[in-house]
Amino acid sequence: MRIPTDSDFTSRLRSPAVTARVGLWLGICFGICFVTGLVSHYAQDPAHPVPFPASPVWGYRVTQGLHVITGTAAVPLLLVKLWTVYPRLFRRPERGWRQLLLDATERGTVLVLVASAVFQLASGLANSAQWYPWSFSFRTTHYAVAWIAIGSVLLHVAVKLPVIRDALGADVEDTAHDRPTATTPGVLSRRGLLRTTWLAAGVAVLATAGSTVPFLRRVSVLGVRSGDGPEGVPVNKSAAAAKVTASATRSDYRLVVANGDRQVSLSRADLLAMPQSTHDLPIACVEGWSASGTWTGVRVRDLLDLVGVPRGTDVHVTSLQESGPFTTTVLHASFADDDRTLLALALGGEPLSIDHGYPARVIAPDRPGVLQTKWVARIEVPA
Ligand SMILES: Nc1nc2c(c(=O)[nH]1)N[C@H]1C(S)=C(S)[C@@H](COP(=O)(O)O)O[C@H]1N2
Ligand SMILES: [Mo]
């Protein structure tokens, strides 16, 4: 077998005219993914130098929805883009040290670009499907590689800017930047290939976006958790999976609210006897799905007042769940002090179901779903 050279790839569809157009949209998707990813990473950071805003309530729902939608759309775009350029892998090495060095540098940076882009899309998709075939921490790795990916994208755009500008300024059929051998007509025209690509990206979006956009729910056959859970809100982790079925249903359940030595211990009946508030707030999962619910319960601020926690204090919320990454979460002051932040006891006018966090769960505005702790056992000022 002979290793092909780039002149073996003759389809005129593999043209910078196509690459630049697909690349433009891919770049836009990566840009949106990067910015919305930073928002999500910051929202989940236990230490907030600048408070994360509690308004608008749908803020995180929109940014994280966009994150997953643009990431999904990027998959077909990346595949088509790679298909149009991969013959360049088989270019003959240039002559001369200087050329060779430049060529090696370019290949090296493109390798980092492709590897980081593929890693981001693959790990992101796997995460939104709740499939973790790896042992590293998803959030730290996805975050670190995001910087490598965006850095390589910027470098790549900078290096290719002259070609990109030319290609985008000219007609798609223009051959100015084509490889000399790329002359065989393809099964599609260049316009046809581009249309198919946009269609594939559109279908990928429609097939998944319904997990965030309610009216798309019916068409989103591949949407994660778009099926209805109890009270119309999907369930992420069930009580059985979190191993809290027994502890959450014990008659001697007590919520402990603690500020140093000052503590109160409240049964569910005690909580129900306190003033109740009702708010429409979404659960917006990092995996991209979100759903709004009508939650009723006690204001967290009222609970903190019982033990004299001053405003402006970050508190810790601990679940009955014994193991797992979200058993204790930080409820920052910007949320703890917000009147819409509830220790919810009911959803949609019905007592909370055990899978939604019975006997009591946190629900705060504009917050990642992972921090909306279910089966709450303690709310306390950390020592
Ligand atoms: N104790 C506990 N709370 C939890 C979780 C969990 O695994 N354990 N999952 C979180 C995640 S990732 C999400 S998206 C929301 C989902 O809430 P729901 O199942 O009521 O829709 O709960 C959050 N609260
Ligand atoms: Mo989640």
Side-chain angles (χ1 to χ4, degrees), residues 67 119-125 136-147:
H67 186 75
F119 177 85
Q120 287 303 80
L121 297 185
S123 60
L125 275 188
F136 53 79
S137 150
F138 170 77
R139 190 161 76 91
T140 20
T141 319
H142 198 68
Y143 175 71
V145 179
W147 288 97

Side-chain angles (χ1 to χ4, degrees), residues 149-200:
I150 204 74
S152 326
V153 168
L154 290 176
L155 181 67
H156 186 64
V157 171
V159 170
K160 300 286 179 191
L161 202 56
V163 183
I164 298 173
R165 257 219 225 102
D166 259 21
L168 293 182
D171 192 78
V172 224
E173 302 297 343
D174 189 85
T175 53
H177 291 280
D178 288 8
R179 285 174 299 112
T181 51
T183 51
T184 324
V187 270
L188 286 168
S189 67
R190 287 183 182 174
R191 282 200 172 77
L193 174 62
L194 285 175
R195 270 192 220 112
T196 312
T197 307
W198 311 147
L199 187 71

Side-chain angles (χ1 to χ4, degrees), residues 233-237 242 283-287 289 295 319 321 326-327 355-357 361 369-375:
V233 176
V235 166
N236 187 284
K237 194 176 202 99
I283 295 269
C285 185
V286 295
E287 293 150 19
W289 64 265
W295 306 87
S319 173
Q321 187 185 345
F326 314 118
T327 53
D355 286 335
H356 280 314
R361 67 105 42 95
V370 281
L371 303 178
Q372 311 278 35
T373 311
K374 305 198 271 191
W375 316 293

Side-chain angles (χ1 to χ4, degrees), residues 52-57 277 279 281 298-302 304 311-312 331-343 363-366:
F52 194 83
S55 292
V57 291
S277 312
H279 292 288
L281 295 172
V298 181
R299 282 193 195 116
V300 166
R301 191 58 247 174
D302 290 351
L304 298 177
R311 287 189 166 260
L331 186 66
H332 292 98
S334 54
F335 297 101
D337 292 347
D338 192 290
D339 275 349
R340 295 162 298 185
T341 299
L342 302 178
L343 185 73
I363 182 91
D366 194 22

Side-chain angles (χ1 to χ4, degrees), residues 82-102:
L82 290 178
W83 180 82
T84 63
V85 295
Y86 89 89
R88 289 179 58 81
L89 265 180
F90 303 103
R91 267 170 307 163
R92 286 200 196 291
E94 308 264 357
R95 276 168 205 276
W97 278 109
R98 227 180 91 84
Q99 285 307 321
L100 207 61
L101 199 69
L102 275 176

